[in-house]
Amino acid sequence: MRPKPPESSFATVHALPTLPGQADRLLRELEWKVIRRLDGLLQGDYRTLMRGSGLDLADLREYQPHDDVRHIDWNVTARLNQPHVRVFTEDREMTAWFLLDLSPSISFGPEGRAKRDILTGFVAVLSRLLTRHGNRVGAMLYGGASHQAERTVDSVLPPRSSRAHVLHLVHRLLAPPRPAAHRKGGGAATELHRLLQTALANLRRRATVFVVSDFISAPGWEKPLAQLAQRHDVVAVRLLDPLELELPDLGLITLRDAESGEQLQVDTHDAAFRRRFAQLAAEREATLRDGLAHAGADTLELCTDDDLVDTLLRFMDLRQRRVRAPRATADSTASQPHYAT
């Protein structure tokens, strides 16, 4: 029996309420435009891009330095006087978890193409692709809207494999975000490490974990992300908007911090200001990429002006090449993040 997570750590959502038409319409549109093009690419008949938890013994071979010592077959080793390891084939069944950062900064971006819209589309497409093949998907939602300080995430959707479950998840993502001013302690920065630590404490079995965030957060998320990547197959899905990297010449405008609500009037006609903004953005970009590199997780970048299908196709091609690569090559590059942009 699968252990139940402690109720004190987060609020768990079990019931599937009657769903409004908006979630169903969005999912049907994505199924027609996107999922039909991608179906079959995530999973094949025998090998998968996302690793399952079931294992079948495929072969025995001599031990090599990069092999996991836990796979040594001691009976064969004793008979042949030479270390041998078991080689396994992973089955298709898997559990995927979406760790979703729904903090106020996720709402940034053009109307209809904000980072939250991209997040919703990505989660809807990938979760439906996985559940169509009998896999289960679950989600942890973090947005800083909790009324209890001890809670680390706002809600959890336990893994299930039905279309109704995907609809329920999409419905939760389509719900209007709570204004920062009404959140408890409005003005506090996003603490992404809380979401990652909750996942570390409650994900017992190996799974594929998608951490979907813009990574605009207080420091401290790098270590728990690296720990999560050691136990699970982790993909860091980074959301970004071009305006976060470089400001255009728009004259006098008012900028508002989505996390704190603080407003600042700036003159974007000033070339020196735009250069300074771009320099600071580049420094933050370098720091972020360095943190993801040390975590050892694959990275998928989703920009608000990119096509979701093209980005996912590039990412799937990356994963396919990694699956087919020799084990020695994979081990030698394990500390390097693999980007699909």
Side-chain angles (χ1 to χ4, degrees), residues 10-11 13 97-102 116 119 138-145 152-157 168-169 171-173 195:
F10 44 68
V13 178
W97 278 92
F98 293 94
L99 309 186
L100 305 178
D101 173 13
L102 302 179
R116 188 179 180 114
L119 177 148
M140 294 186 182
L141 280 59
Y142 168 78
T152 50
V153 298
D154 299 328
S155 59
V156 173
L157 277 68
H168 182 47
L169 174 56
H171 171 56
R172 294 295 302 271
L173 298 179
L195 173 61

Side-chain angles (χ1 to χ4, degrees), residues 16-311:
L16 296 181
T18 302
L19 296 169
Q22 185 181 7
D24 185 65
R25 286 195 301 270
L26 174 62
L27 190 57
R28 287 180 182 275
E29 180 180 355
L30 290 172
E31 285 175 335
W32 180 256
K33 295 182 178 179
V34 179
I35 296 177
R36 288 174 180 265
R37 295 176 57 185
L38 298 176
D39 198 11
L41 295 178
L42 268 182
Q43 304 206 354
D45 292 334
Y46 303 102
R47 292 296 300 274
T48 68
L49 285 172
M50 309 302 178
R51 297 179 178 178
S53 58
L55 296 174
D56 293 324
L57 180 63
D59 196 5
L60 287 167
R61 61 169 171 78
E62 289 188 6
Y63 175 83
Q64 298 177 15
H66 57 73
D67 289 329
D68 191 335
V69 295
R70 293 174 297 180
H71 294 163
I72 293 179
D73 189 314
W74 295 107
N75 292 329
V76 176
T77 298
R79 286 199 303 267
L80 300 180
N81 200 28
Q82 180 70 28
H84 278 67
V85 295
R86 298 185 180 118
V87 179
F88 297 97
T89 298
E90 292 168 314
D91 68 11
R92 289 173 37 148
E93 183 182 355
M94 61 166 286
T95 299
W97 278 92
F98 293 94
L99 309 186
L100 305 178
D101 173 13
L102 302 179
S103 57
S105 62
I106 294 295
S107 299
F108 183 78
E111 184 176 358
R113 294 285 301 175
K115 290 186 287 186
R116 188 179 180 114
D117 300 319
I118 303 302
L119 177 148
T120 302
F122 170 80
V123 172
V125 167
L126 211 53
S127 59
R128 188 62 187 128
L129 277 171
L130 292 170
T131 56
R132 280 162 67 99
H133 294 276
N135 300 304
R136 301 184 307 156
V137 296
M140 294 186 182
L141 280 59
Y142 168 78
S146 174
H147 291 287
Q148 297 185 22
E150 67 272 14
R151 286 184 179 171
T152 50
V153 298
D154 299 328
S155 59
V156 173
L157 277 68
R160 293 175 181 170
S161 59
S162 66
R163 187 177 187 274
H165 181 62
V166 177
L167 277 172
H168 182 47
L169 174 56
V170 174
H171 171 56
R172 294 295 302 271
L173 298 179
L174 289 174
R178 297 183 61 180
H182 299 292
R183 293 183 298 128
K184 181 178 178 64
T190 299
E191 297 179 324
L192 189 59
H193 68 275
R194 293 184 178 273
L195 173 61
L196 299 173
Q197 288 170 347
T198 301
L200 274 171
N202 292 278
L203 300 189
R204 307 298 183 184
R205 299 181 60 184
R206 179 175 174 84
T208 298
V209 180
F210 296 92
V211 183
V212 190
S213 172
D214 58 4
F215 292 91
I216 299 178
S217 167
W221 56 264
E222 297 89 346
K223 182 178 179 180
L225 181 62
Q227 293 173 333
L228 199 65
Q230 292 175 352
R231 302 181 186 178
H232 305 276
D233 184 15
V234 176
V235 179
V237 183
R238 184 199 172 195
L239 308 168
L240 70 156
D241 186 273
L243 290 180
E244 295 173 332
L245 304 178
E246 187 174 354
L247 283 177
D249 185 355
L250 300 175
L252 196 64
I253 62 173
T254 300
L255 300 179
R256 183 176 66 86
D257 188 325
E259 302 286 331
S260 66
E262 181 181 357
Q263 296 186 1
L264 179 67
Q265 197 170 51
V266 299
D267 183 10
T268 59
H269 186 65
D270 185 351
F273 171 77
R274 296 200 307 273
R275 286 194 299 271
R276 178 59 176 164
F277 180 92
Q279 178 184 353
L280 292 174
E283 292 174 357
R284 178 187 175 275
E285 187 79 2
T287 302
L288 175 57
R289 285 179 173 264
D290 185 62
L292 293 172
H294 282 85
D298 284 353
T299 300
L300 170 63
E301 292 187 342
L302 291 179
C303 189
T304 56
D305 61 358
D306 284 343
D307 181 78
L308 177 61
V309 175
D310 291 341
T311 303

Side-chain angles (χ1 to χ4, degrees), residues 324-340:
R324 293 175 177 173
R327 174 67 182 272
T329 303
D331 286 346
S332 65
T333 60
S335 62
Q336 300 297 322
H338 294 74
Y339 281 85

